[in-house]
Amino acid sequence: MMIHPATAHFAMVLPVVASALGIAYLINRQEIFSKLSSIALLFTALAMGVVWYTGSQAGPLIYDFLSENGQHELLEHKKLGLYLAIIMGVIFVLKIIGCQTKKFAIEALAIVLLLAATALTFAQGKDGGELVYNHGTPFKSYMIIDTLNEAAIAVEEEEEIQAKLEVYEEALEDIKLIDEELEIFYGNQVAEEN
């Protein structure tokens, strides 16, 4: 079972929470916001590590379902995920140093870096979505398998070779329709006017 999509959503939300608490601290400099943003940043750094790990496990499972461009994008996505995990860990350490030494400038730097890393996280999330919807074919493959399984069952019921051939031809037409509909849905192909 792939849990990367679920962990990725946490990795998208937690930097926003940590950033909001960090901005609140920059505005009013209350110690509670410093501590809360540090705790949120800890969970963010951990989530980034987990999401990179789960992505590393999921990547090989979907690699063959991707187009050639998608396979290249997947490798870039994995690399950026590792960088984000490292960056969030470094930002957390920087934030803790600032918090422990009560140096506002260090904490402020960590929060500014966090805002930049959060923006990068959103770019990474967009790329992950494009991997699935623009380059991937997981939905197509399941629909194609179902269509072929139904055709195989129908062929067993037919006795004449011509009838069996017609069943497979109909299945092929259904698969072409599935492909066209999904390409239109993903925005890779414009629907033709009727």
Side-chain angles (χ1 to χ4, degrees), residues 14-15 18-19 33-49 83-101 103 106-115 117-118:
L14 288 172
S19 295
F33 287 112
S34 173
K35 290 180 180 180
L36 287 173
S37 66
S38 295
I39 292 168
L41 191 49
L42 168 64
F43 286 112
T44 299
L46 292 172
M48 285 293 175
Y83 294 155
L84 276 169
I86 293 168
I87 289 167
M88 285 299 183
V90 169
I91 294 171
F92 171 70
V93 169
L94 189 61
K95 179 75 168 75
I96 290 299
I97 290 170
C99 191
Q100 293 297 316
T101 61
K103 302 239 177 174
I106 295 174
E107 284 191 89
L109 174 62
I111 292 166
V112 169
L113 291 174
L114 174 61
L115 292 171
T118 300

Side-chain angles (χ1 to χ4, degrees), residues 18-30 33-34 111:
S19 295
L21 291 168
I23 291 170
Y25 173 64
L26 291 178
I27 292 171
N28 64 28
R29 293 193 188 193
Q30 290 181 352
F33 287 112
S34 173
I111 292 166

Side-chain angles (χ1 to χ4, degrees), residues 6-178:
T7 60
H9 289 97
F10 280 106
M12 297 291 295
V13 171
L14 288 172
V16 173
V17 173
S19 295
L21 291 168
I23 291 170
Y25 173 64
L26 291 178
I27 292 171
N28 64 28
R29 293 193 188 193
Q30 290 181 352
E31 187 177 348
I32 186 69
F33 287 112
S34 173
K35 290 180 180 180
L36 287 173
S37 66
S38 295
I39 292 168
L41 191 49
L42 168 64
F43 286 112
T44 299
L46 292 172
M48 285 293 175
V50 169
V51 79
W52 175 79
Y53 175 78
T54 60
S56 295
Q57 301 301 305
L61 299 175
I62 67 163
Y63 188 83
D64 291 334
F65 291 109
L66 297 174
S67 64
E68 187 175 326
N69 288 339
Q71 291 172 346
H72 174 72
E73 289 294 320
L74 178 66
L75 297 175
E76 292 298 315
H77 186 69
K78 179 182 177 183
K79 190 186 311 178
L80 182 55
L82 176 60
Y83 294 155
L84 276 169
I86 293 168
I87 289 167
M88 285 299 183
V90 169
I91 294 171
F92 171 70
V93 169
L94 189 61
K95 179 75 168 75
I96 290 299
I97 290 170
C99 191
Q100 293 297 316
T101 61
K102 308 248 186 247
K103 302 239 177 174
F104 179 77
I106 295 174
E107 284 191 89
L109 174 62
I111 292 166
V112 169
L113 291 174
L114 174 61
L115 292 171
T118 300
L120 192 57
T121 300
F122 278 103
Q124 176 76 334
K126 179 182 178 292
D127 289 344
E130 288 175 357
L131 275 169
V132 172
Y133 295 110
N134 293 348
H135 297 291
T137 57
F139 302 114
K140 289 182 197 178
S141 65
Y142 293 123
M143 296 170 90
I144 289 168
I145 289 169
D146 285 343
T147 302
L148 290 175
N149 284 336
E150 289 173 11
I153 292 169
V155 163
E156 288 179 4
E157 296 173 1
E158 298 292 340
E159 292 182 15
E160 295 181 23
I161 292 178
Q162 183 61 34
K164 291 180 182 197
L165 181 61
E166 287 175 7
V167 169
Y168 280 122
E169 287 175 342
E170 286 177 21
L172 185 57
E173 286 300 315
D174 290 343
I175 290 169
K176 286 179 184 176
L177 287 174
I178 290 168

